[in-house]
Amino acid sequence: MPKATVDKLCRFCQQVEPRYRVQVSSEEEIFKARDILADRLGVFYNRTIDFTSKRTYQSPEDRFDLYPDFPAFKASAQDGCKLCKLLREALLERYSDEGIQRGEDEYDDTIKKDWLKGIWDKKVRLTLAKVDTRDPAALHGNIPLRLPNVEALSSENMRLIFGWMDTCEREHEKCRPEKVPRLPKRVIDVGSAEGEDNPPRLLETNRAPAQYVALSHCWGSWQNRSKYKHARLLKANYRDYLDALSLQDVPPTLKDAIIAVRSLKLRYLWIDALCIIQDSESDWAEQSGQMYDIYESSYLTIVATKAQSSGDGFLHRPHRSVVTIPYNDEFDPTVEGQFYLSRFGEPRSSWDSVDAVSWNTRGWTFQERLLSKRLLHFSANGLYWECRTTDRSELNHSGRENYNRTKWLLAKSLTQGRYSVRDLTYETDALPAVSGLAQLFQRVHAGSDEYIGGLWRHDFMRGLLWMTKNSSTARKQSVYCAPSWSWASVRGECDWPSRTIDEHCRDDFTGQILAVHLDVLVENPMGAVRGGFVNMRGRIRPLSQVVKPVEWGAFLRFRYNLICDDELVGNGSFDVDGHGEDGEVWMLQIQVQKPFDCYKPYHPSALLLRKATSSNNRFERLGIAVLEDEKLDFFDHCPFREFEFV
């Protein structure tokens, strides 16, 4: 095995060498060994990158350098120490005036002054990686990770990708389609990479059976830039795109997707910007209603995880400084090797390069990730593979075998309100952007349930018991997106308090849905709602007063006192602060609340309403409420009535 050339190091940086061998006998020991190694290296590159109150650089060896230019590091780097050069680059970026200001802004004024004493994470992180799997440093020093390749589509990476694909096809039953899927209405035929004889073009498929790749990406603001203003499918360029698609006119992210599909030796690619007529409302409605089939049926979904817009691209990889460090076994002097130290991002965990990026904050990408059988992420820190059976990474992160990725993501996202807090360029996309998931749920239930503006008919009463997680930052949609009783009517993180969906919670629902009158698009009945209401039957009582206490704990989500006939009957939370503090407020009983299942303040059982119009029989939602233990009979003598809920 050829050895990597060891880089020159100054006498301080020579301390980085891990001079010991860890005996590993179990999985638990492996993790202990990694922690030991991290602690050993941490003495050098974690604790030394701390600032004193004089803003100087200090190390345990009394090595000082001056902020902000770090001249001692600079001199050592010019003298040939590669690690000093790497550390200085990291320091200059992390501890620029702007960087320090960003860190200080994370804290309020009461603790900002203490950040130099250790409150803020004053570190730069270097990645420890193996030179080769057979190198003694990897074997004896237990160094599991490898650095990403210089090129995203290098021959080594292509072997890696084809290996993941082959294993998934042969061994993963959960990922195998029952039959060859049919192509979407339109796809891009990517053509070949050789010359201009076979350029990419738009193809009308007639839904022929074939494998294809889908792209998941952030649009960003590129569509407003003059350079790429025509790089989306419009009525005016439709015929031209059927003939050929010039790569010079395509934004970098879409161009990279075409190149990647060619490298994968596949032919067809679906991209929303190029396969949906963007200035046709009917075509957009029809195709947005096909998202379940498009992503669920794709052979593979390529994810431009690192790109914040279609103008960024995802195949280019920046130059990364790498330092080769010698390894000598502490117990066996004949064992020698090398390992790498590099700085290629600072993920808090192995999957933060996928989970903690802009792509994972966008509304449409939520269902694209959940519906796809296989995803290939091009992240800032390398390739990541997800399928319904396992995951892998270019850096050799351990995969999670035999787990239900879709079930795990759904449970985590829905119970924690992860979708409702995601970003949408157009507020009216709140429901269309999850219409594919709605179709998935309906198919799981064999079409036996009715989807009603983000809720399900058989579970409508329980579904009404959502609440905004922070009513002070939540707001009503600026345009109509859904009826007031739907979570989609609010911008802000929403969740269902756990006690309302707990399996031990009694389903003594008193409300009843009688009829549904929603105005939806024929092309996508699970998408946008343009208006409407439901007829309901339930118990409604007016309140005398709603009072916000002068003092209340920030942790209390039900912070309004609900008064009826001068008595406190419960506590409430408005979906949006200020909506309902003035005017008449009513309470609608949704569920019988009993002492043994009353876990105040997290077990709401009623809604707060107000009259939507001058009509006495039309109401809209304001918030959610929980009764006091002593007032659980508040609705007992209240007659049932029918009303319209808008």
Side-chain angles (χ1 to χ4, degrees), residues 132-144:
D132 189 278
T133 55
R134 299 164 293 172
D135 190 279
L139 299 173
H140 296 272
N142 188 40
I143 302 175

Side-chain angles (χ1 to χ4, degrees), residues 189-248:
D189 183 339
V190 300
S192 64
E194 292 82 22
E196 300 180 357
D197 294 337
N198 191 15
R201 66 187 182 91
L202 182 68
L203 178 68
E204 295 176 337
T205 68
N206 295 318
R207 303 304 307 274
Q211 288 183 337
Y212 66 94
V213 176
L215 175 67
S216 178
H217 68 112
C218 296
W219 279 52
S221 59
W222 69 266
Q223 65 268 34
N224 297 320
R225 302 175 187 174
S226 58
K227 182 177 181 180
Y228 301 121
K229 67 179 181 179
H230 297 304
R232 53 192 180 121
L233 186 60
L234 303 170
K235 296 174 183 177
N237 59 24
Y238 190 94
R239 292 298 170 188
D240 294 335
Y241 279 21
L242 289 174
D243 294 332
L245 187 62
S246 173
L247 289 181
Q248 284 70 34

Side-chain angles (χ1 to χ4, degrees), residues 78 143 379 483 598 617:
Q78 291 174 341
I143 302 175
S379 83
C598 178
N617 210 39

Side-chain angles (χ1 to χ4, degrees), residues 31 73 93 127 130 139 222 227 320 344 400 412 421 437 455 490 494-495 508 592 625:
F31 290 107
F73 269 111
E93 181 177 327
T127 298
K130 57 190 174 187
L139 299 173
W222 69 266
K227 182 177 181 180
R320 305 184 190 279
F344 62 94
R400 296 168 290 185
K412 184 176 182 180
V421 77
L437 286 177
L455 304 179
V490 175
C494 302
D495 66 357
D508 295 332
V592 173

Side-chain angles (χ1 to χ4, degrees), residues 544-616:
S544 305
Q545 193 177 10
V546 176
V547 179
K548 184 177 181 179
V550 176
E551 296 182 3
W552 49 274
F555 62 90
L556 292 177
R557 298 177 69 180
F558 295 84
R559 58 196 186 205
Y560 288 88
N561 289 337
L562 307 178
I563 311 297
C564 185
D565 298 331
D566 297 324
E567 292 185 330
L568 177 67
V569 297
N571 294 89
S573 173
F574 290 115
D575 299 332
V576 177
D577 273 2
H579 283 232
E581 292 185 24
D582 299 323
E584 189 177 29
V585 177
W586 298 64
M587 281 183 72
L588 165 66
Q589 185 184 39
I590 298 295
Q591 185 177 20
V592 173
Q593 184 177 314
K594 298 185 179 180
F596 59 81
D597 63 9
C598 178
Y599 296 92
K600 292 192 309 174
Y602 303 111
H603 181 56
S605 61
L607 298 185
L608 299 177
L609 312 178
R610 71 180 173 192
K611 291 182 179 179
T613 62
S614 57
S615 169
N616 289 325

Side-chain angles (χ1 to χ4, degrees), residues 95-119:
Y95 294 104
S96 63
D97 289 339
E98 294 80 7
I100 289 177
Q101 185 62 49
R102 284 195 300 269
E104 290 181 340
D105 288 344
E106 295 178 7
Y107 303 96
D108 59 42
D109 293 335
T110 60
I111 63 172
K112 186 185 296 186
K113 64 179 183 296
D114 294 327
W115 76 272
L116 290 169
K117 300 178 183 178
I119 296 291

